[in-house]
Amino acid sequence: MRIAMIGTGYVGLVSGACFSEFGTDVVCVDKDSSKIDRLLAGEIPIFEPGLDKLVANNVAAGRLSFTTDLATAVKGADAVFIAVGTPSRAGDGQADLTFVRQAAKEVAEVMEGYTVVVTKSTVPVGTGREVAEIIRATRPDADFDVASNPEFLREGAAINDFMRPDRVVIGTLEPRAQEVLRELYRPLYLIETPIIFTQLETSELIKYSANAFLAVKITFINEIADLCEKVGADVHDVAKGIGLDGRIGRKFLHPGPGYGGSCFPKDTTALAHTAREKGSPVRIVETVVDINDKRKKGMADKVIAHCGGSLEGKKVAVLGLTFKPNTDDMRDAPSIDIVPALRAAGAAVSVYDPEGIEEAKKVISDVTWCENAYDTMPDADVLVIITEWNEFRGLDLGRVKSLMKAPSMVDLRNIYNPAEMANAGFDYESVGRPSGLAEAGE
Ligand code: UDX
């Protein structure tokens, strides 16, 4: 088997490397020659744990290669995966399909023999059919099928998510196409991964529904966390108490500053848009989009309230900027809303992130960039944790205290224990949990 992967962004690169690890010959294509040059030099353009090794091993084994030449990659391939970007279109928030359409046309021009063209990018329902029409219009004689095969990769855990997924969804009912995809995913049959074959449109909608549902879950627990703060309840126990009901499930019930990243914000907006366009609005998702946007902005108010209602002339130390740990991705990160709001409230802000500083500098300005966590803290009035990187979980609290003006922390990811923080002398606030009381004698 040989496949071409069009697009060496996050999804294309991870999927290409993982398919090659499964034993398939994979040629990854990208128009961006500087990206291909870097990959050919063994450099990985994104931060994803384990990806560098996986790529290096499979390149060395001769199963994985990179090129800017789409024609050579596509000619004779059993399957061509389209994994190009689908950014949110300015104005209406709908997914911009320019790159997908362009890729479909270019693939059609050069494909040879029976080829399965698979959309891996997250695309609005109906895009698969459109891809098929583009190919047919470009090459009326082409022998092909179009399938949808959405990815469910979490950044930071993408390789594991690809190799040991909860399920694989394949949108095509054509036997020949199913056969090719079944062969590509053969190693997953050995570990009994459920593989769902369904129609093209259903597969496209599964992807949006999965991400929207998870966004609903997060937003639900975020709102319950706010209520917990008002009534003195602990959101973690609420999450456990409801999550142990198998119908609800425990995952994605961790409260925080609102979801971000490359998928949830984009996909919820796109789903809401498609649904409205089709005259069947998904109002719960529209509401979730609205609540989450407001939440991210509102987190700065939480810090202001914690500091007695004003940040004028105060210094805020911020730890974590990326939308989640183990990535350098800043797309729709809550910090993009929170940090400028802290500045606007009159605070001087020092920031540190283990991997995200370079990306953060493109979207955040007017702050002091620090080399490590402790460098943010001298004379700070409050320490704010926005992203739960592991290295922030074990801060030397004595050192933190000695550096700060006063020991005060707003932990937007609940990585510390309220009682322990109270015992350590911190004015500590988290999300949806009562503040701890210091034990007697401490
Ligand atoms: C997500 C989906 O999980 C993945 O299946 C999909 O294909 C791509 O989008 P990703 O964006 O990498 O993956 O990150 P994920 O771990 O799902 O987190 C998304 C956002 O939700 C982050 O901002 C995270 O902080 C937030 N989140 C997640 C919470 O606030 N609480 C939770 O309980 C879980």
Side-chain angles (χ1 to χ4, degrees), residues 1 15 19 22 24 81 118 120 149-151 162 165 167-170 178-191 193 195 197:
M1 291 286 261
S15 306
F19 274 131
F22 281 175
T24 300
F81 285 77
V118 191
K120 193 102 186 116
N149 175 217
E151 52 83 18
F162 194 101
R167 79 318 203 172
V168 171
V169 176
I170 295 174
Q178 288 190 353
E179 191 51 43
V180 170
L181 283 149
R182 206 174 274 124
E183 185 58 29
L184 281 175
Y185 281 110
R186 207 155 55 101
L188 297 187
Y189 281 90
L190 301 175
I191 55 168
T193 304
I195 305 214
F197 285 100

PDB file of all heavy atoms in Angstrom, residues 1 15 19 22 24 81 118 120 149-151 162 165 167-170 178-191 193 195 197:
ATOM      1  N   MET A   1       0.846  -1.207   0.000  1.00  0.00           N
ATOM      2  CA  MET A   1       0.000   0.000   0.000  1.00  0.00           C
ATOM      3  C   MET A   1       0.872   1.245   0.000  1.00  0.00           C
ATOM      4  O   MET A   1       1.892   1.300   0.683  1.00  0.00           O
ATOM      5  CB  MET A   1      -0.855   0.050   1.274  1.00  0.00           C
ATOM      6  CG  MET A   1      -1.927  -0.999   1.334  1.00  0.00           C
ATOM      7  SD  MET A   1      -3.265  -0.606   0.232  1.00  0.00           S
ATOM      8  CE  MET A   1      -4.428   0.100   1.318  1.00  0.00           C
ATOM      9  N   SER A  15      -0.715  12.016  11.220  1.00  0.00           N
ATOM     10  CA  SER A  15      -1.369  10.879  10.561  1.00  0.00           C
ATOM     11  C   SER A  15      -0.401  10.184   9.614  1.00  0.00           C
ATOM     12  O   SER A  15      -0.334   8.947   9.571  1.00  0.00           O
ATOM     13  CB  SER A  15      -2.609  11.334   9.781  1.00  0.00           C
ATOM     14  OG  SER A  15      -3.474  12.053  10.608  1.00  0.00           O
ATOM     15  N   PHE A  19       0.613   6.329  10.017  1.00  0.00           N
ATOM     16  CA  PHE A  19       0.338   5.330   8.967  1.00  0.00           C
ATOM     17  C   PHE A  19       1.638   4.632   8.546  1.00  0.00           C
ATOM     18  O   PHE A  19       1.646   3.430   8.283  1.00  0.00           O
ATOM     19  CB  PHE A  19      -0.310   5.984   7.751  1.00  0.00           C
ATOM     20  CG  PHE A  19      -1.813   6.106   7.837  1.00  0.00           C
ATOM     21  CD1 PHE A  19      -2.452   7.310   7.572  1.00  0.00           C
ATOM     22  CD2 PHE A  19      -2.604   5.000   8.160  1.00  0.00           C
ATOM     23  CE1 PHE A  19      -3.838   7.425   7.640  1.00  0.00           C
ATOM     24  CE2 PHE A  19      -3.990   5.101   8.228  1.00  0.00           C
ATOM     25  CZ  PHE A  19      -4.611   6.317   7.966  1.00  0.00           C
ATOM     26  N   PHE A  22       2.496   2.054  10.858  1.00  0.00           N
ATOM     27  CA  PHE A  22       1.643   0.875  10.637  1.00  0.00           C
ATOM     28  C   PHE A  22       2.168  -0.003   9.488  1.00  0.00           C
ATOM     29  O   PHE A  22       1.604  -1.041   9.195  1.00  0.00           O
ATOM     30  CB  PHE A  22       0.217   1.306  10.279  1.00  0.00           C
ATOM     31  CG  PHE A  22      -0.637   1.730  11.452  1.00  0.00           C
ATOM     32  CD1 PHE A  22      -1.916   2.239  11.244  1.00  0.00           C
ATOM     33  CD2 PHE A  22      -0.193   1.617  12.759  1.00  0.00           C
ATOM     34  CE1 PHE A  22      -2.723   2.633  12.308  1.00  0.00           C
ATOM     35  CE2 PHE A  22      -0.991   2.013  13.830  1.00  0.00           C
ATOM     36  CZ  PHE A  22      -2.257   2.524  13.599  1.00  0.00           C
ATOM     37  N   THR A  24       2.718   1.216   6.166  1.00  0.00           N
ATOM     38  CA  THR A  24       2.338   1.712   4.843  1.00  0.00           C
ATOM     39  C   THR A  24       3.402   2.688   4.329  1.00  0.00           C
ATOM     40  O   THR A  24       3.992   3.411   5.124  1.00  0.00           O
ATOM     41  CB  THR A  24       0.986   2.459   4.969  1.00  0.00           C
ATOM     42  OG1 THR A  24       0.025   1.543   5.461  1.00  0.00           O
ATOM     43  CG2 THR A  24       0.526   3.027   3.644  1.00  0.00           C
ATOM     44  N   PHE A  81      -4.910  11.303   1.120  1.00  0.00           N
ATOM     45  CA  PHE A  81      -5.585  11.969   2.237  1.00  0.00           C
ATOM     46  C   PHE A  81      -5.445  13.479   2.084  1.00  0.00           C
ATOM     47  O   PHE A  81      -4.341  13.980   1.877  1.00  0.00           O
ATOM     48  CB  PHE A  81      -4.971  11.543   3.577  1.00  0.00           C
ATOM     49  CG  PHE A  81      -5.372  10.164   4.002  1.00  0.00           C
ATOM     50  CD1 PHE A  81      -4.802   9.041   3.417  1.00  0.00           C
ATOM     51  CD2 PHE A  81      -6.339   9.988   4.985  1.00  0.00           C
ATOM     52  CE1 PHE A  81      -5.185   7.761   3.798  1.00  0.00           C
ATOM     53  CE2 PHE A  81      -6.732   8.713   5.386  1.00  0.00           C
ATOM     54  CZ  PHE A  81      -6.156   7.596   4.784  1.00  0.00           C
ATOM     55  N   VAL A 118      -9.501  10.738   0.451  1.00  0.00           N
ATOM     56  CA  VAL A 118     -10.053  10.764   1.807  1.00  0.00           C
ATOM     57  C   VAL A 118      -9.919  12.159   2.405  1.00  0.00           C
ATOM     58  O   VAL A 118      -8.822  12.716   2.448  1.00  0.00           O
ATOM     59  CB  VAL A 118      -9.283   9.775   2.717  1.00  0.00           C
ATOM     60  CG1 VAL A 118     -10.001   9.599   4.042  1.00  0.00           C
ATOM     61  CG2 VAL A 118      -9.067   8.439   2.039  1.00  0.00           C
ATOM     62  N   LYS A 120      -9.456  14.219   5.508  1.00  0.00           N
ATOM     63  CA  LYS A 120      -9.057  14.050   6.903  1.00  0.00           C
ATOM     64  C   LYS A 120      -9.272  15.385   7.626  1.00  0.00           C
ATOM     65  O   LYS A 120      -9.538  15.410   8.822  1.00  0.00           O
ATOM     66  CB  LYS A 120      -7.572  13.667   6.948  1.00  0.00           C
ATOM     67  CG  LYS A 120      -7.109  13.157   8.271  1.00  0.00           C
ATOM     68  CD  LYS A 120      -7.009  11.633   8.232  1.00  0.00           C
ATOM     69  CE  LYS A 120      -6.692  10.950   9.497  1.00  0.00           C
ATOM     70  NZ  LYS A 120      -7.742  10.066   9.990  1.00  0.00           N
ATOM     71  N   ASN A 149     -12.707  10.546   6.745  1.00  0.00           N
ATOM     72  CA  ASN A 149     -12.066   9.809   7.848  1.00  0.00           C
ATOM     73  C   ASN A 149     -11.565  10.819   8.879  1.00  0.00           C
ATOM     74  O   ASN A 149     -10.407  11.159   8.928  1.00  0.00           O
ATOM     75  CB  ASN A 149     -10.913   8.958   7.284  1.00  0.00           C
ATOM     76  CG  ASN A 149     -10.107   8.248   8.344  1.00  0.00           C
ATOM     77  OD1 ASN A 149      -8.890   8.114   8.230  1.00  0.00           O
ATOM     78  ND2 ASN A 149     -10.752   7.782   9.386  1.00  0.00           N
ATOM     79  N   PRO A 150     -12.518  11.314   9.688  1.00  0.00           N
ATOM     80  CA  PRO A 150     -12.147  12.395  10.613  1.00  0.00           C
ATOM     81  C   PRO A 150     -11.109  11.967  11.646  1.00  0.00           C
ATOM     82  O   PRO A 150     -11.052  10.795  12.019  1.00  0.00           O
ATOM     83  CB  PRO A 150     -13.467  12.751  11.298  1.00  0.00           C
ATOM     84  CG  PRO A 150     -14.370  11.589  11.075  1.00  0.00           C
ATOM     85  CD  PRO A 150     -13.926  10.932   9.804  1.00  0.00           C
ATOM     86  N   GLU A 151     -10.320  12.958  12.086  1.00  0.00           N
ATOM     87  CA  GLU A 151      -9.329  12.658  13.130  1.00  0.00           C
ATOM     88  C   GLU A 151      -9.893  13.055  14.487  1.00  0.00           C
ATOM     89  O   GLU A 151     -10.680  13.988  14.578  1.00  0.00           O
ATOM     90  CB  GLU A 151      -8.012  13.385  12.835  1.00  0.00           C
ATOM     91  CG  GLU A 151      -8.130  14.894  12.586  1.00  0.00           C
ATOM     92  CD  GLU A 151      -8.171  15.736  13.826  1.00  0.00           C
ATOM     93  OE1 GLU A 151      -7.780  15.237  14.886  1.00  0.00           O
ATOM     94  OE2 GLU A 151      -8.610  16.906  13.746  1.00  0.00           O
ATOM     95  N   PHE A 162      -3.867   8.227  17.847  1.00  0.00           N
ATOM     96  CA  PHE A 162      -3.916   7.610  16.518  1.00  0.00           C
ATOM     97  C   PHE A 162      -3.693   6.094  16.606  1.00  0.00           C
ATOM     98  O   PHE A 162      -4.373   5.320  15.944  1.00  0.00           O
ATOM     99  CB  PHE A 162      -2.851   8.218  15.594  1.00  0.00           C
ATOM    100  CG  PHE A 162      -3.060   7.865  14.134  1.00  0.00           C
ATOM    101  CD1 PHE A 162      -3.643   8.773  13.263  1.00  0.00           C
ATOM    102  CD2 PHE A 162      -2.699   6.616  13.641  1.00  0.00           C
ATOM    103  CE1 PHE A 162      -3.865   8.448  11.923  1.00  0.00           C
ATOM    104  CE2 PHE A 162      -2.911   6.277  12.307  1.00  0.00           C
ATOM    105  CZ  PHE A 162      -3.498   7.195  11.447  1.00  0.00           C
ATOM    106  N   PRO A 165      -6.922   4.371  19.259  1.00  0.00           N
ATOM    107  CA  PRO A 165      -8.110   5.236  19.332  1.00  0.00           C
ATOM    108  C   PRO A 165      -9.303   4.529  19.980  1.00  0.00           C
ATOM    109  O   PRO A 165      -9.337   3.288  20.030  1.00  0.00           O
ATOM    110  CB  PRO A 165      -8.415   5.524  17.854  1.00  0.00           C
ATOM    111  CG  PRO A 165      -7.878   4.345  17.113  1.00  0.00           C
ATOM    112  CD  PRO A 165      -6.694   3.831  17.906  1.00  0.00           C
ATOM    113  N   ARG A 167     -12.193   4.757  18.677  1.00  0.00           N
ATOM    114  CA  ARG A 167     -12.865   4.264  17.469  1.00  0.00           C
ATOM    115  C   ARG A 167     -12.262   4.944  16.254  1.00  0.00           C
ATOM    116  O   ARG A 167     -11.593   5.981  16.366  1.00  0.00           O
ATOM    117  CB  ARG A 167     -14.377   4.499  17.525  1.00  0.00           C
ATOM    118  CG  ARG A 167     -14.939   5.887  17.212  1.00  0.00           C
ATOM    119  CD  ARG A 167     -14.247   7.050  17.735  1.00  0.00           C
ATOM    120  NE  ARG A 167     -15.075   8.238  17.863  1.00  0.00           N
ATOM    121  CZ  ARG A 167     -14.646   9.333  18.470  1.00  0.00           C
ATOM    122  NH1 ARG A 167     -13.431   9.384  18.990  1.00  0.00           N
ATOM    123  NH2 ARG A 167     -15.429  10.385  18.545  1.00  0.00           N
ATOM    124  N   VAL A 168     -12.542   4.340  15.084  1.00  0.00           N
ATOM    125  CA  VAL A 168     -12.182   4.984  13.825  1.00  0.00           C
ATOM    126  C   VAL A 168     -13.487   5.129  13.052  1.00  0.00           C
ATOM    127  O   VAL A 168     -14.312   4.211  13.041  1.00  0.00           O
ATOM    128  CB  VAL A 168     -11.179   4.117  13.034  1.00  0.00           C
ATOM    129  CG1 VAL A 168     -10.977   4.673  11.624  1.00  0.00           C
ATOM    130  CG2 VAL A 168      -9.845   4.049  13.772  1.00  0.00           C
ATOM    131  N   VAL A 169     -13.683   6.298  12.467  1.00  0.00           N
ATOM    132  CA  VAL A 169     -14.901   6.525  11.687  1.00  0.00           C
ATOM    133  C   VAL A 169     -14.523   6.673  10.220  1.00  0.00           C
ATOM    134  O   VAL A 169     -13.640   7.466   9.878  1.00  0.00           O
ATOM    135  CB  VAL A 169     -15.626   7.805  12.181  1.00  0.00           C
ATOM    136  CG1 VAL A 169     -16.841   8.110  11.308  1.00  0.00           C
ATOM    137  CG2 VAL A 169     -16.041   7.651  13.640  1.00  0.00           C
ATOM    138  N   ILE A 170     -15.174   5.887   9.383  1.00  0.00           N
ATOM    139  CA  ILE A 170     -14.883   5.932   7.948  1.00  0.00           C
ATOM    140  C   ILE A 170     -16.179   6.138   7.182  1.00  0.00           C
ATOM    141  O   ILE A 170     -17.104   5.314   7.262  1.00  0.00           O
ATOM    142  CB  ILE A 170     -14.175   4.636   7.489  1.00  0.00           C
ATOM    143  CG1 ILE A 170     -12.796   4.546   8.186  1.00  0.00           C
ATOM    144  CG2 ILE A 170     -14.013   4.633   5.960  1.00  0.00           C
ATOM    145  CD1 ILE A 170     -12.056   3.276   7.946  1.00  0.00           C
ATOM    146  N   GLN A 178     -13.802   0.915   1.034  1.00  0.00           N
ATOM    147  CA  GLN A 178     -13.760   0.327   2.385  1.00  0.00           C
ATOM    148  C   GLN A 178     -12.594  -0.653   2.508  1.00  0.00           C
ATOM    149  O   GLN A 178     -11.898  -0.691   3.517  1.00  0.00           O
ATOM    150  CB  GLN A 178     -15.071  -0.405   2.681  1.00  0.00           C
ATOM    151  CG  GLN A 178     -16.246   0.534   2.911  1.00  0.00           C
ATOM    152  CD  GLN A 178     -17.478  -0.190   3.440  1.00  0.00           C
ATOM    153  OE1 GLN A 178     -17.505  -1.410   3.519  1.00  0.00           O
ATOM    154  NE2 GLN A 178     -18.490   0.568   3.808  1.00  0.00           N
ATOM    155  N   GLU A 179     -12.381  -1.416   1.446  1.00  0.00           N
ATOM    156  CA  GLU A 179     -11.315  -2.415   1.444  1.00  0.00           C
ATOM    157  C   GLU A 179      -9.950  -1.738   1.645  1.00  0.00           C
ATOM    158  O   GLU A 179      -9.126  -2.187   2.454  1.00  0.00           O
ATOM    159  CB  GLU A 179     -11.370  -3.133   0.069  1.00  0.00           C
ATOM    160  CG  GLU A 179     -10.533  -4.381  -0.045  1.00  0.00           C
ATOM    161  CD  GLU A 179     -10.792  -5.346   1.087  1.00  0.00           C
ATOM    162  OE1 GLU A 179     -11.964  -5.550   1.447  1.00  0.00           O
ATOM    163  OE2 GLU A 179      -9.793  -5.861   1.641  1.00  0.00           O
ATOM    164  N   VAL A 180      -9.720  -0.634   0.906  1.00  0.00           N
ATOM    165  CA  VAL A 180      -8.439   0.090   1.013  1.00  0.00           C
ATOM    166  C   VAL A 180      -8.259   0.629   2.438  1.00  0.00           C
ATOM    167  O   VAL A 180      -7.199   0.468   3.055  1.00  0.00           O
ATOM    168  CB  VAL A 180      -8.381   1.255  -0.012  1.00  0.00           C
ATOM    169  CG1 VAL A 180      -7.187   2.164   0.250  1.00  0.00           C
ATOM    170  CG2 VAL A 180      -8.343   0.705  -1.436  1.00  0.00           C
ATOM    171  N   LEU A 181      -9.304   1.226   2.978  1.00  0.00           N
ATOM    172  CA  LEU A 181      -9.176   1.827   4.312  1.00  0.00           C
ATOM    173  C   LEU A 181      -9.055   0.756   5.396  1.00  0.00           C
ATOM    174  O   LEU A 181      -8.328   0.924   6.374  1.00  0.00           O
ATOM    175  CB  LEU A 181     -10.345   2.781   4.568  1.00  0.00           C
ATOM    176  CG  LEU A 181     -10.102   4.089   3.806  1.00  0.00           C
ATOM    177  CD1 LEU A 181     -11.379   4.745   3.369  1.00  0.00           C
ATOM    178  CD2 LEU A 181      -9.265   5.050   4.650  1.00  0.00           C
ATOM    179  N   ARG A 182      -9.745  -0.347   5.181  1.00  0.00           N
ATOM    180  CA  ARG A 182      -9.635  -1.453   6.134  1.00  0.00           C
ATOM    181  C   ARG A 182      -8.173  -1.939   6.188  1.00  0.00           C
ATOM    182  O   ARG A 182      -7.624  -2.186   7.246  1.00  0.00           O
ATOM    183  CB  ARG A 182     -10.559  -2.593   5.695  1.00  0.00           C
ATOM    184  CG  ARG A 182     -11.007  -3.469   6.832  1.00  0.00           C
ATOM    185  CD  ARG A 182     -12.024  -4.505   6.401  1.00  0.00           C
ATOM    186  NE  ARG A 182     -13.386  -4.002   6.414  1.00  0.00           N
ATOM    187  CZ  ARG A 182     -14.207  -4.019   5.371  1.00  0.00           C
ATOM    188  NH1 ARG A 182     -13.806  -4.492   4.208  1.00  0.00           N
ATOM    189  NH2 ARG A 182     -15.423  -3.552   5.470  1.00  0.00           N
ATOM    190  N   GLU A 183      -7.561  -2.014   5.019  1.00  0.00           N
ATOM    191  CA  GLU A 183      -6.173  -2.473   4.929  1.00  0.00           C
ATOM    192  C   GLU A 183      -5.242  -1.469   5.637  1.00  0.00           C
ATOM    193  O   GLU A 183      -4.329  -1.860   6.377  1.00  0.00           O
ATOM    194  CB  GLU A 183      -5.811  -2.614   3.437  1.00  0.00           C
ATOM    195  CG  GLU A 183      -4.446  -3.200   3.145  1.00  0.00           C
ATOM    196  CD  GLU A 183      -4.242  -4.585   3.744  1.00  0.00           C
ATOM    197  OE1 GLU A 183      -5.239  -5.320   3.891  1.00  0.00           O
ATOM    198  OE2 GLU A 183      -3.078  -4.905   4.082  1.00  0.00           O
ATOM    199  N   LEU A 184      -5.497  -0.186   5.428  1.00  0.00           N
ATOM    200  CA  LEU A 184      -4.650   0.845   6.055  1.00  0.00           C
ATOM    201  C   LEU A 184      -4.725   0.789   7.580  1.00  0.00           C
ATOM    202  O   LEU A 184      -3.750   1.050   8.280  1.00  0.00           O
ATOM    203  CB  LEU A 184      -5.082   2.241   5.595  1.00  0.00           C
ATOM    204  CG  LEU A 184      -4.617   2.683   4.217  1.00  0.00           C
ATOM    205  CD1 LEU A 184      -5.221   4.036   3.874  1.00  0.00           C
ATOM    206  CD2 LEU A 184      -3.095   2.766   4.182  1.00  0.00           C
ATOM    207  N   TYR A 185      -5.907   0.506   8.085  1.00  0.00           N
ATOM    208  CA  TYR A 185      -6.097   0.485   9.536  1.00  0.00           C
ATOM    209  C   TYR A 185      -5.969  -0.927  10.121  1.00  0.00           C
ATOM    210  O   TYR A 185      -6.362  -1.159  11.265  1.00  0.00           O
ATOM    211  CB  TYR A 185      -7.470   1.077   9.905  1.00  0.00           C
ATOM    212  CG  TYR A 185      -7.474   2.599   9.886  1.00  0.00           C
ATOM    213  CD1 TYR A 185      -8.152   3.319   8.913  1.00  0.00           C
ATOM    214  CD2 TYR A 185      -6.778   3.323  10.854  1.00  0.00           C
ATOM    215  CE1 TYR A 185      -8.146   4.710   8.905  1.00  0.00           C
ATOM    216  CE2 TYR A 185      -6.772   4.716  10.859  1.00  0.00           C
ATOM    217  CZ  TYR A 185      -7.454   5.401   9.879  1.00  0.00           C
ATOM    218  OH  TYR A 185      -7.442   6.777   9.882  1.00  0.00           O
ATOM    219  N   ARG A 186      -5.380  -1.849   9.339  1.00  0.00           N
ATOM    220  CA  ARG A 186      -5.340  -3.249   9.765  1.00  0.00           C
ATOM    221  C   ARG A 186      -4.780  -3.459  11.176  1.00  0.00           C
ATOM    222  O   ARG A 186      -5.356  -4.206  11.967  1.00  0.00           O
ATOM    223  CB  ARG A 186      -4.569  -4.099   8.759  1.00  0.00           C
ATOM    224  CG  ARG A 186      -5.011  -5.554   8.744  1.00  0.00           C
ATOM    225  CD  ARG A 186      -4.701  -6.170   7.412  1.00  0.00           C
ATOM    226  NE  ARG A 186      -3.279  -5.989   7.121  1.00  0.00           N
ATOM    227  CZ  ARG A 186      -2.358  -6.914   7.278  1.00  0.00           C
ATOM    228  NH1 ARG A 186      -2.699  -8.084   7.724  1.00  0.00           N
ATOM    229  NH2 ARG A 186      -1.100  -6.677   6.983  1.00  0.00           N
ATOM    230  N   PRO A 187      -3.680  -2.758  11.536  1.00  0.00           N
ATOM    231  CA  PRO A 187      -3.152  -2.983  12.895  1.00  0.00           C
ATOM    232  C   PRO A 187      -4.189  -2.703  13.990  1.00  0.00           C
ATOM    233  O   PRO A 187      -4.116  -3.275  15.075  1.00  0.00           O
ATOM    234  CB  PRO A 187      -1.988  -1.990  12.993  1.00  0.00           C
ATOM    235  CG  PRO A 187      -1.598  -1.739  11.573  1.00  0.00           C
ATOM    236  CD  PRO A 187      -2.848  -1.838  10.763  1.00  0.00           C
ATOM    237  N   LEU A 188      -5.161  -1.840  13.706  1.00  0.00           N
ATOM    238  CA  LEU A 188      -6.153  -1.523  14.740  1.00  0.00           C
ATOM    239  C   LEU A 188      -7.177  -2.636  14.915  1.00  0.00           C
ATOM    240  O   LEU A 188      -7.781  -2.781  15.973  1.00  0.00           O
ATOM    241  CB  LEU A 188      -6.854  -0.198  14.424  1.00  0.00           C
ATOM    242  CG  LEU A 188      -5.940   1.029  14.422  1.00  0.00           C
ATOM    243  CD1 LEU A 188      -6.760   2.299  14.261  1.00  0.00           C
ATOM    244  CD2 LEU A 188      -5.125   1.109  15.712  1.00  0.00           C
ATOM    245  N   TYR A 189      -7.378  -3.438  13.865  1.00  0.00           N
ATOM    246  CA  TYR A 189      -8.266  -4.589  14.013  1.00  0.00           C
ATOM    247  C   TYR A 189      -7.688  -5.568  15.033  1.00  0.00           C
ATOM    248  O   TYR A 189      -8.413  -6.201  15.779  1.00  0.00           O
ATOM    249  CB  TYR A 189      -8.473  -5.299  12.667  1.00  0.00           C
ATOM    250  CG  TYR A 189      -9.465  -4.579  11.780  1.00  0.00           C
ATOM    251  CD1 TYR A 189      -9.045  -3.608  10.892  1.00  0.00           C
ATOM    252  CD2 TYR A 189     -10.826  -4.861  11.869  1.00  0.00           C
ATOM    253  CE1 TYR A 189      -9.953  -2.930  10.097  1.00  0.00           C
ATOM    254  CE2 TYR A 189     -11.749  -4.194  11.080  1.00  0.00           C
ATOM    255  CZ  TYR A 189     -11.310  -3.229  10.193  1.00  0.00           C
ATOM    256  OH  TYR A 189     -12.210  -2.561   9.423  1.00  0.00           O
ATOM    257  N   LEU A 190      -6.345  -5.637  15.056  1.00  0.00           N
ATOM    258  CA  LEU A 190      -5.690  -6.570  15.989  1.00  0.00           C
ATOM    259  C   LEU A 190      -5.942  -6.186  17.433  1.00  0.00           C
ATOM    260  O   LEU A 190      -5.975  -7.040  18.318  1.00  0.00           O
ATOM    261  CB  LEU A 190      -4.182  -6.623  15.715  1.00  0.00           C
ATOM    262  CG  LEU A 190      -3.782  -7.057  14.304  1.00  0.00           C
ATOM    263  CD1 LEU A 190      -2.282  -6.951  14.100  1.00  0.00           C
ATOM    264  CD2 LEU A 190      -4.258  -8.493  14.038  1.00  0.00           C
ATOM    265  N   ILE A 191      -6.096  -4.879  17.685  1.00  0.00           N
ATOM    266  CA  ILE A 191      -6.372  -4.474  19.077  1.00  0.00           C
ATOM    267  C   ILE A 191      -7.872  -4.214  19.283  1.00  0.00           C
ATOM    268  O   ILE A 191      -8.283  -3.558  20.246  1.00  0.00           O
ATOM    269  CB  ILE A 191      -5.514  -3.256  19.515  1.00  0.00           C
ATOM    270  CG1 ILE A 191      -5.678  -2.056  18.568  1.00  0.00           C
ATOM    271  CG2 ILE A 191      -4.057  -3.622  19.653  1.00  0.00           C
ATOM    272  CD1 ILE A 191      -5.088  -0.759  19.120  1.00  0.00           C
ATOM    273  N   THR A 193     -10.110  -2.350  17.880  1.00  0.00           N
ATOM    274  CA  THR A 193     -10.672  -0.997  17.853  1.00  0.00           C
ATOM    275  C   THR A 193     -11.981  -1.023  17.047  1.00  0.00           C
ATOM    276  O   THR A 193     -11.996  -1.546  15.943  1.00  0.00           O
ATOM    277  CB  THR A 193      -9.691  -0.045  17.131  1.00  0.00           C
ATOM    278  OG1 THR A 193      -8.439  -0.115  17.783  1.00  0.00           O
ATOM    279  CG2 THR A 193     -10.203   1.387  17.120  1.00  0.00           C
ATOM    280  N   ILE A 195     -14.397  -0.020  14.406  1.00  0.00           N
ATOM    281  CA  ILE A 195     -14.273   0.773  13.184  1.00  0.00           C
ATOM    282  C   ILE A 195     -15.665   0.919  12.594  1.00  0.00           C
ATOM    283  O   ILE A 195     -16.327  -0.078  12.291  1.00  0.00           O
ATOM    284  CB  ILE A 195     -13.303   0.109  12.182  1.00  0.00           C
ATOM    285  CG1 ILE A 195     -11.969  -0.124  12.904  1.00  0.00           C
ATOM    286  CG2 ILE A 195     -13.172   0.964  10.914  1.00  0.00           C
ATOM    287  CD1 ILE A 195     -10.715  -0.005  12.146  1.00  0.00           C
ATOM    288  N   PHE A 197     -18.123   2.039   9.770  1.00  0.00           N
ATOM    289  CA  PHE A 197     -18.306   2.435   8.376  1.00  0.00           C
ATOM    290  C   PHE A 197     -19.685   3.034   8.242  1.00  0.00           C
ATOM    291  O   PHE A 197     -20.671   2.464   8.698  1.00  0.00           O
ATOM    292  CB  PHE A 197     -18.183   1.212   7.450  1.00  0.00           C
ATOM    293  CG  PHE A 197     -16.761   0.774   7.276  1.00  0.00           C
ATOM    294  CD1 PHE A 197     -16.255  -0.295   8.002  1.00  0.00           C
ATOM    295  CD2 PHE A 197     -15.913   1.436   6.388  1.00  0.00           C
ATOM    296  CE1 PHE A 197     -14.937  -0.705   7.854  1.00  0.00           C
ATOM    297  CE2 PHE A 197     -14.594   1.025   6.238  1.00  0.00           C
ATOM    298  CZ  PHE A 197     -14.099  -0.039   6.969  1.00  0.00           C
TER     299      PHE A 197
END
